[in-house]
C-alpha cells in the first residue's frame, strides 16, 4: 500500500494511492496516518478494504492536489549520519564504529513538494536524499531479528542541512539539521510488502536539472534492522517515529568546488518504489 496525507497545511486528511494513481479518502477509517493507525492490525484492516469503494479525492497528487508529510504528528525524527561508505569517503570521514545519531526537530517537517526556506545567516545549505523508515510498533531493546516487525513502511526524506551551522558553529549537528522546512517527507508511506528489497533501492537527487546524487541503499553501512535494534537500546521507539538512514554521495559539500543552495533553485529527488519529491528553494526571508 501507499498511504498518504492530502490537503492544505495543517488540515491534511488520510488517504491512499490506488492502483490508477488516484487518491482515495480514508476518512472515517483512520483519523490520520499517524500513531496507532500505523500498527500491524490497522494496516491489515486498511489493506483488506476494497479500494474502489473508497471516496475518490478530486485532483492529481503532487499536481493540483497538495500532499502533506506522509506521517502525521511525528514523535521523533531520528537521523543517522555517515551511514553510506561512499558518502563518508566524499566527506573525508571514516566510517564510524557505531551509528552517528542526531535529530531533526519535528517543526522541520513539511510536505514532499513544499518550498524549502534558506535560513537567515545561511552560508552552506545542502541537500541529502535519504531512505526514511517509519515505526509502526513501538518497543525498547528490540532484537535485530525482530526489527522489521516494528516497521510500518518506508518513505523518501530530504535531509536538508546547513553545513556551517552543523559543523563549524560548535556543539552538535542538530542545529544545522532542524531548521524550518528542512524535513520534506513523502510523498507516500509504502508498506514493506510493496517495497521488497529495501537494501537495493536506487536513490537520486537533481538541482536545477543537474544530477548530483545517484546512489543506492546497497552501500548503506548499518542496515535498517540493525538501526531499529540499535536505536531501541537508547530510547523507546514509538508508532509514528521516523528514522532517516543516511545519504549516498553527491551532496553539495562533497563537490569540488563545493556547491550550496542560495535560493531560486529547484530540487527533485526520489527513491525507487517510494516516489519523488520536488521543492523550490526560497532565499532567506
Amino acid at each position: 500500500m501507499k498511504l498518504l496525507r492530502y490537503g492544505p497545511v495543517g488540515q491534511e486528511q488520510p488517504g491512499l494511492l490506488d492502483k490508477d494513481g488516484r487518491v482515495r479518502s480514508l476518512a472515517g477509517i483512520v483519523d490520520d496516518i499517524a500513531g496507532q493507525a500505523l500498527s500491524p492490525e490497522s494496516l491489515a484492516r486498511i489493506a483488506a478494504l476494497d479500494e474502489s469503494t473508497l471516496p475518490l479525492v478530486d485532483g492529481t497528487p503532487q499536481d493540483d492536489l497538495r500532499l502533506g508529510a506522509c506521517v502525521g504528528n511525528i514523535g521523533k525524527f531520528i537521523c543517522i549520519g555517515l551511514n553510506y561508505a561512499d558518502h563518508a569517503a566524499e566527506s573525508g570521514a571514516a566510517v564510524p564504529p557505531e551509528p552517528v545519531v542526531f535529530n531533526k526537530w519535528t517543526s522541520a517537517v513539511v510536505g514532499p513538494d513544499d518550498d524549502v526556506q534558506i535560513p537567515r545567516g545561511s552560508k552552506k545549505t545542502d541537500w541529502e536524499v535519504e531512505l526514511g523508515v517509519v515505526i509502526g510498533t513501538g518497543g525498547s531493546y528490540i532484537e535485530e531479528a525482530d526489527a522489521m516487525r516494528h516497521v510500518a513502511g518506508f518513505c523518501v526524506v530530504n535531509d536538508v542541512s546547513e553545513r556551517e551551522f552543523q559543523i563549524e558553529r560548535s556543539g552538535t549537528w542538530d542545529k544545522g539539521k532542524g531548521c524550518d522546512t528542512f524535513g520534506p517527507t513523502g510523498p507516500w508511506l509504502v508498506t514493506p510488502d510493496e517495497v521488497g528489497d529495501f537494501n537495493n533501492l536506487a536513490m537520486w537527487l537533481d538541482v536545477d536539472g543537474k544530477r548530483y546524487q545517484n546512489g543506492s541503499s546497497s552501500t548503506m553501512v548499518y542496515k535498517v534492522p540493525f538501526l531499529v535494534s540499535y536505536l531501541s537500546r537508547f530510547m523507546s521507539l514509538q508508532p509514528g517515529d521516523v528514522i532517516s538512514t543516511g545519504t549516498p554521495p553527491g551532496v553539495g559539500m562533497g563537490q569540488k568546488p563545493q556547491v550550496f543552495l542560495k535560493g531560486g533553485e529547484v530540487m527533485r529527488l526520489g527513491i525507487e518504489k517510494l516516489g519523488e519529491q520536488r521543492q523550490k528553494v526560497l532565499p532567506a526571508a
Side-chain angles (χ1 to χ4, degrees):
M1 288 187 297
K2 294 183 174 72
L3 302 176
L4 54 86
R5 301 169 67 250
Y6 65 91
V9 175
Q11 302 176 45
E12 291 90 349
Q13 298 294 313
L16 61 77
L17 194 73
D18 72 14
K19 59 182 177 58
D20 297 316
R22 299 176 299 180
V23 173
R24 301 277 181 168
S25 173
L26 289 173
I29 296 166
V30 292
D31 293 333
D32 199 356
I33 306 301
Q36 292 303 317
L38 299 170
S39 70
E41 297 78 16
S42 176
L43 294 180
R45 187 166 61 251
I46 296 170
L49 297 171
D50 179 352
E51 66 177 29
S52 67
T53 66
L54 298 172
L56 191 61
V57 177
D58 291 336
T60 301
Q62 300 188 272
D63 184 2
D64 56 350
L65 177 63
R66 175 188 175 271
L67 299 184
C70 60
V71 182
N73 297 316
I74 295 171
K76 295 190 287 296
F77 201 148
I78 310 160
C79 300
I80 308 298
L82 299 173
N83 194 32
Y84 282 66
D86 36 11
H87 172 56
E90 77 167 347
S91 301
V95 172
E98 292 191 34
V100 173
V101 180
F102 61 93
N103 295 295
K104 290 184 90 75
W105 317 124
T106 55
S107 52
V109 175
V110 292
D113 307 306
D114 291 344
D115 296 338
V116 166
Q117 179 86 52
I118 301 287
R120 293 180 187 177
S122 169
K123 298 177 181 178
K124 298 182 178 181
T125 296
D126 204 347
W127 55 81
E128 295 190 0
V129 59
E130 303 207 0
L131 175 66
V133 178
V134 180
I135 297 298
T137 300
S140 299
Y141 304 104
I142 297 166
E143 295 292 335
E144 186 173 350
D146 296 329
M148 292 309 297
R149 298 180 186 176
H150 293 259
V151 173
F154 299 90
C155 63
V156 181
V157 173
N158 189 353
D159 177 20
V160 186
S161 308
E162 213 295 342
R163 302 301 189 186
E164 194 219 12
F165 296 179
Q166 174 192 352
I167 299 168
E168 301 172 34
R169 296 279 293 272
S170 183
T172 68
W173 287 10
D174 302 320
K175 65 188 175 187
K177 293 287 191 170
C179 303
D180 289 356
T181 74
F182 272 23
T185 303
W188 14 83
L189 183 161
V190 185
T191 50
D193 60 294
E194 199 164 315
V195 175
D197 185 5
F198 51 83
N199 290 317
N200 191 27
L201 298 174
M203 309 168 67
W204 58 272
L205 184 144
D206 298 346
V207 179
D208 287 342
K210 179 177 178 178
R211 177 116 336 155
Y212 282 95
Q213 292 191 274
N214 190 17
S216 168
S217 62
S218 63
T219 64
M220 192 183 292
V221 177
Y222 299 107
K223 307 296 187 182
V224 171
F226 177 83
L227 291 173
V228 171
S229 175
Y230 180 83
L231 292 170
S232 76
R233 302 176 200 172
F234 305 104
M235 68 195 84
S236 62
L237 296 177
Q238 297 160 343
D241 287 348
V242 173
I243 304 167
S244 199
T245 57
T247 197
V251 300
M253 180 175 64
Q255 306 301 309
K256 294 182 173 46
Q258 294 180 331
V259 178
F260 297 111
L261 300 166
K262 303 298 183 184
E265 303 92 345
V266 174
M267 291 184 284
R268 291 188 65 238
L269 58 147
I271 299 179
E272 181 183 2
K273 300 182 181 179
L274 301 183
E276 299 184 6
Q277 301 183 353
R278 179 186 183 277
Q279 296 107 27
K280 290 195 303 182
V281 181
L282 303 183

